[in-house]
Structure formats: structure tokens, C-alpha cells
Amino acid sequence: MSKVPDFAPRFQVNGSSTLKVSHNEWVRYNIAVSPPEDCGFSFEVKINQIESTGNWWACEIGVVYKSKNECYERGCIGGSIGCCYISNNGNFEACCGSGHDYGQPYNNPGDVVRMTVYADKRVEYFLNDESQGICFTLFESPVIPAICVSSIVDLELLSYSEFDDDVVPDESSEDKRDTIPQVEDPNYIFE
């Protein structure tokens, strides 16, 4: 059974479902929700433009651990405060300071990225409706869905939904957690 919030998806900073910015340093845009701890959630972002202005990663789509949100207002998501899927190389990063082989890059106009966090805290990304695999298990909650950019971007937040534990990964989803470091200490901070 799905639980759908009674508001349109929007970015917390500008109150809009679209994000058109240009940055030369990492700036994070939280999506204006913090899902309940006992449910899963999913959100979709459409890429209209990503153009690197210095940092090759350009854009990260992921979550920030709520306990670390206010301590780290700037900086990339995956470095020490959450986990993310990286635009220009398709890598995944989770509190470890470097990306790891994961999925396909998402930097073409029209690409749609969906992040799904299941009720059991497993994380899976989809690119244009194709699973990139299960990549991580969150070690702490609650989390805040977020997008972090260090480039010229034009993104559109297409959807956000919450759901109970009856939504599970498809049996065909590849489990890639054994190839990506799984940090389990919520106090871990990459140095």
C-alpha cells in the first residue's frame, strides 16, 4: 500500500520542481521531505542538462543522513554524510571518499534517474527504468533525499512517493553490495 504525500515534489531551497544552477563548488539541494523511518521511498529526477564546470562528477543523486545534515551544509553527499549515484561516471559512493564501479553514467538530456530506498533500507537506482542494481544498505535513518551539484545543471524532479514494506526489489535486480564497501558505523567520517 503506497503512502503519497499531499504536496508536489520540490527542492527545499527554491520551492520548485526544477533546478537550474551553475556552481564551481559542491552545493546540496535537499528535497523538502524526510520520509518516516518505517517506510520506503522513491524519487525520480529528469536530466535536461549536465555540463561539468570543473569537478568531473558534476551531479550526485542520493540521501543525506539526517543526523549529519546540519553539520555539513556544503560538500558532496557521499564523502561523509550519505550515499549517492554519480552522474558522469556511473559510480556509487557511500561515506568512503571515492566512487566505486556501479552503473551507467546519466548525463544525457532526457535521462531519468530513480532512487528507491526500500523499507529494509536497501538502496537501488534505476536509469531510464533499467535497474542499476542494489548497491547499499543504509546504516542509519532517518535520511533526507538530496541532489548535490558542482556544475551547470538543469534538472526536473518528476515524482516522490513513500510506501510500506510490501514494495521489494524485483527478483532480477542484481545485488552489487559485495563489490562496494558497506560502511556500517554511523559515526564514520571519511578523512
Side-chain angles (χ1 to χ4, degrees):
M1 167 186 278
S2 291
K3 297 186 249 182
V4 179
D6 61 355
F7 56 83
R10 62 194 182 281
F11 292 100
Q12 189 173 17
V13 171
N14 65 4
S16 172
S17 65
T18 59
L19 180 65
K20 293 182 182 183
V21 295
S22 176
H23 296 295
N24 286 318
E25 61 182 72
W26 286 110
V27 179
R28 188 175 73 242
Y29 296 88
N30 292 347
I31 296 170
V33 294
S34 184
E37 292 185 51
D38 62 345
C39 75
F41 66 90
S42 184
F43 68 98
E44 270 187 329
V45 176
K46 180 180 177 186
I47 310 304
N48 294 320
Q49 176 187 12
I50 294 180
E51 183 180 322
S52 182
T53 58
N55 188 311
W56 195 77
W57 286 9
C59 180
E60 302 173 328
I61 296 176
V63 296
V64 174
Y65 293 109
K66 192 171 182 179
S67 65
K68 298 179 181 189
N69 182 50
E70 294 187 16
C71 298
Y72 301 91
E73 292 180 1
R74 290 196 176 268
C76 60
I77 294 173
S80 58
I81 62 173
C83 67
C84 63
Y85 179 26
I86 302 164
S87 63
N88 286 348
N89 59 16
N91 284 357
F92 178 81
E93 183 189 10
C95 295
C96 58
S98 62
H100 298 276
D101 288 344
Y102 173 58
Q104 296 297 310
Y106 58 91
N107 50 16
N108 296 313
D111 280 349
V112 174
V113 177
R114 180 171 77 242
M115 179 185 197
T116 300
V117 176
Y118 298 97
D120 66 2
K121 305 305 176 206
R122 286 182 290 174
V123 175
E124 182 174 17
Y125 286 91
F126 297 82
L127 175 57
N128 301 321
D129 287 325
E130 183 177 322
S131 173
Q132 301 300 293
I134 297 166
C135 54
F136 196 65
T137 301
L138 297 173
F139 55 75
E140 181 182 328
S141 61
V143 294
I144 299 170
I147 292 171
C148 194
V149 296
S150 174
S151 62
I152 297 170
V153 299
D154 179 350
L155 308 174
E156 184 177 350
L157 188 57
L158 298 178
S159 66
Y160 172 82
S161 62
E162 296 172 359
F163 46 83
D164 295 320
D165 59 3
D166 58 342
V167 177
V168 296
D170 187 277
E171 289 182 15
S172 65
S173 294
E174 183 180 354
D175 192 337
K176 297 182 176 181
R177 290 177 290 176
D178 61 342
T179 63
I180 297 171
Q182 302 292 301
V183 177
E184 297 176 0
D185 178 2
N187 297 313
Y188 176 82
I189 296 196
F190 176 74
E191 301 290 337

